[in-house]
Amino acid sequence: MGTFYRTKVYDAFLPNFIASEIGLIQRTFEVSDSGVSADEYGKKIVKAGTVYPANNTTAKGIVFEDVDVTYGSRPASIIIAGRIFENRLHTKPDAEAKTALEKQGIYFDTATEITR
């Protein structure tokens, strides 16, 4: 008999914020748990699409996928160049952050939302 693990899905729908995989460059950075609030389940999650490390002139990239920092800092994949749908990001970049990200090679597009 094998072990059965049950996982809980916290977000039912996560729209893709990557406009194109062509030119996408990612690097590994240490994501800190400082300033991250725990959710209703007691988890500290840095959401995919969050500007890293802060939403200001220090911006270096965008978090590629959710990072659980409940028990401290964790290494994570950060997008440092590529095409991104700005209107689908978890955190909308401030003007200063957007300028810093554009200087290093992140291009922002707007996704057309389709309702059915």
Side-chain angles (χ1 to χ4, degrees):
M1 287 271 152
T3 304
F4 175 77
Y5 290 100
R6 183 177 191 141
T7 59
K8 182 170 181 140
V9 177
Y10 295 105
D11 292 322
F13 178 71
L14 300 172
N16 184 12
F17 60 85
I18 297 173
S20 176
E21 67 181 28
I22 298 171
L24 189 69
I25 301 174
Q26 301 171 24
R27 295 286 184 260
T28 302
F29 288 93
E30 190 79 15
V31 176
S32 174
D33 61 338
S34 65
V36 180
S37 301
D39 63 10
E40 67 237 32
Y41 305 104
K43 298 280 189 182
K44 289 183 172 183
I45 306 290
V46 177
K47 294 288 193 178
T50 302
V51 178
Y52 170 84
N55 197 359
N56 55 30
T57 56
T58 65
K60 294 181 182 178
I62 296 170
V63 178
F64 179 66
E65 57 189 355
D66 291 355
V67 183
D68 186 347
V69 292
T70 305
Y71 303 107
S73 299
R74 304 282 301 174
S77 183
I78 306 296
I79 299 168
I80 61 168
R83 291 196 165 283
I84 302 296
F85 287 133
E86 182 179 7
N87 58 325
R88 290 187 177 173
L89 289 175
H90 180 266
T91 307
K92 183 177 174 153
D94 288 344
E96 301 87 18
K98 190 172 177 180
T99 301
L101 294 172
E102 286 174 339
K103 282 182 182 177
Q104 69 182 40
I106 292 181
Y107 299 95
F108 292 99
D109 290 331
T110 301
T112 304
E113 301 300 333
I114 300 171
T115 53
R116 298 175 190 219

